[in-house]
């Protein structure tokens, strides 16, 4: 009886984890199956043309086998992408230019620099907008308008202008990343700083709290849930901005450079491997922000 009571929480956790995991695995299996079918369909045209030129009749099993083992497929199969990821991550020294880890670090360093710049700019502008009506009416419309310009149009202009000034390397990419990341932080911070209602601010005034005390003890803590939510969007946007900035600059390092070289030489497996590394990197960064958010809010008593 005692063992059954002790094992009950374990069994309950197992059922919950299994119940949460089963839908995810089901969706994943469906995606993989659809991916394989799409790869067979999209790569079959090339194999049929080659067989027709050679005067060979392809059976269905032969056609499926060949479409899933092409060197340069139109759509790589999942196992080909997995092999490309393994070769790029574990099959090369991390200092090699063929290593996806090395290229990911080049992109990550610029993305983090851009995220820091964009976050600083967004927070400072948000504080000014909340405390100044003139800034709210003048800066906010320009901030919104800045996001209507496609990043694919802005990135080459920034890269070319800064290159002509002799500024190359990390900084131009960081500026593009900051361009995409500052707006979510700005909007989230403005919303968060305006969360306290009139009753709370009146209560602070009744305690003779100064403007700075109201900011640090009321407005800033109230804004943290919104700020961390915007951080998750901003850090993913910074990574996207860095990859886009690597495309028009003729970069030889970074995930954007891997995408570009793969498109030049028709290496679709290389392209998909770089895309998956970028997705994994973005998911990892968002997960790190989530962990920091949970610990910070729990420590401040804003979450359990």
């Amino acid at each position: 009886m005692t063992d059954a009571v002790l094992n009950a929480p374990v069994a309950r956790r197992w059922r919950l984890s299994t119940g949460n995991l089963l839908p995810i695995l089901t969706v994943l299996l469906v995606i993989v199956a659809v991916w394989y079918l799409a790869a067979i369909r999209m790569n079959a045209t090339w194999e049929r043309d080659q067989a027709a030129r050679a005067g060979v009749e392809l059976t269905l099993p032969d056609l499926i086998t060949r479409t899933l083992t092409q060197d340069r497929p139109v759509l790589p199969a999942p196992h080909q992408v997995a092999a490309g990821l393994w070769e790029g991550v574990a099959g090369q020294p991390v200092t090699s230019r063929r290593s996806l880890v090395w290229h990911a670090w080049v992109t990550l360093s610029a993305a983090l620099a851009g995220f820091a710049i964009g976050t600083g700019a967004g927070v400072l502008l948000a504080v000014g907008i909340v405390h100044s009506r003139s800034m709210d009416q003048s800066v906010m419309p320009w901030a919104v308008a800045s996001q209507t310009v496609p990043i694919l149009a802005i990135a080459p202009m920034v890269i070319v202008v800064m290159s002509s000034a002799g500024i190359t390397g990390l900084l131009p990419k960081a500026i593009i990343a900051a361009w995409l990341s500052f707006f979510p932080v700005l909007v989230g911070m403005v919303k968060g700083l305006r969360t306290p209602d009139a009753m709370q601010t009146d209560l602070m005034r009744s305690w003779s709290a100064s403007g700075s005390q109201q900011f640090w003890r009321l407005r800033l803590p109230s804004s943290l849930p919104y700020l961390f939510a915007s951080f998750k969007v901003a850090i993913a946007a910074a990574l996207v901005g860095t990859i886009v900035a690597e495309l028009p600059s003729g970069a030889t390092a970074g995930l954007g450079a891997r995408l570009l070289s793969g498109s030049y030489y028709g290496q679709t497996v290389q392209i998909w491997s770089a895309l998956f590394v970028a997705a994994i990197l973005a998911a990892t960064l968002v997960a790190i922000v989530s962990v920091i958010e949970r610990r910070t809010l729990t420590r401040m008593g804003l979450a359990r």
Side-chain angles (χ1 to χ4, degrees):
M1 181 66 179
T2 304
D3 292 339
V5 172
L6 292 175
N7 292 330
V10 177
R12 185 163 54 252
R13 286 197 297 269
W14 169 256
R15 288 195 299 269
L16 288 175
S17 62
T18 304
N20 293 333
L21 192 60
L22 185 60
I24 297 175
L25 291 177
T26 303
V27 173
L28 183 61
L29 289 175
V30 170
I31 291 174
V32 171
V34 172
W35 188 350
Y36 268 112
L37 292 174
I40 293 170
R41 180 178 178 83
M42 296 180 69
N43 299 331
T45 302
W46 168 262
E47 294 299 337
R48 291 195 184 99
D49 290 343
Q50 294 301 308
R53 291 177 183 178
V56 177
E57 186 70 24
L58 283 178
T59 62
L60 182 59
D62 290 337
L63 179 64
I64 294 174
T65 302
R66 293 190 180 190
T67 54
L68 298 180
T69 56
Q70 291 180 0
D71 292 332
R72 296 183 178 182
V74 176
L75 177 63
H79 68 273
Q80 292 177 300
V81 176
L85 276 172
W86 178 260
E87 175 64 22
V89 173
Q92 304 289 336
V94 294
T95 56
S96 171
R97 285 183 172 268
R98 296 176 61 86
S99 171
L100 285 173
V101 177
W102 184 78
H103 287 285
W105 168 248
V106 172
T107 299
L108 178 62
S109 58
L112 291 178
F115 175 71
I117 296 171
T119 297
V123 170
L124 291 176
L125 286 175
V127 173
I129 287 172
V130 169
H131 288 85
S132 173
R133 184 174 178 81
S134 60
M135 281 193 67
D136 186 13
Q137 295 179 345
S138 60
V139 174
M140 199 62 178
W142 284 106
V144 174
S146 70
Q147 301 304 300
T148 63
V149 181
I151 192 62
L152 289 175
I154 275 291
M157 297 167 55
V158 173
I159 297 297
V160 170
V161 169
M162 297 193 73
S163 296
S164 63
I167 303 173
T168 57
L170 183 143
L171 185 58
K173 295 188 292 183
I175 290 176
I176 299 299
W179 180 275
L180 286 183
S181 62
F182 97 94
F183 186 71
V185 176
L186 172 64
V187 174
M189 191 65 174
V190 168
K191 175 64 176 177
L193 291 175
R194 288 175 173 170
T195 300
D197 54 29
M199 183 179 297
Q200 292 172 316
T201 55
D202 289 342
L203 181 61
M204 292 292 290
R205 292 192 190 98
S206 69
W207 291 341
S208 300
S210 63
S212 62
Q213 288 176 325
Q214 292 183 38
F215 175 80
W216 291 107
R217 298 184 182 182
L218 177 62
R219 292 189 182 276
L220 185 60
S222 300
S223 70
L224 288 181
Y226 298 89
L227 185 60
F228 278 109
S230 64
F231 279 171
K232 297 175 188 178
V233 178
I235 200 163
L239 187 64
V240 172
T242 303
I243 293 174
V244 170
E246 290 171 345
L247 297 178
S249 62
T252 58
L255 295 177
R258 291 292 288 179
L259 292 173
L260 200 59
S261 63
S263 65
Y264 282 160
Y265 299 106
Q267 298 290 342
T268 51
V269 175
Q270 176 180 316
I271 295 173
W272 280 80
S273 299
L275 286 174
F276 267 82
V277 170
I280 293 169
L281 191 59
T284 303
L285 292 173
V286 172
I288 291 172
V289 173
S290 298
V291 171
I292 297 173
E293 175 189 17
R294 184 166 57 252
R295 292 186 177 181
T296 302
L297 297 183
T298 301
R299 188 180 182 88
M300 298 184 66
L302 298 174
R304 294 182 179 180

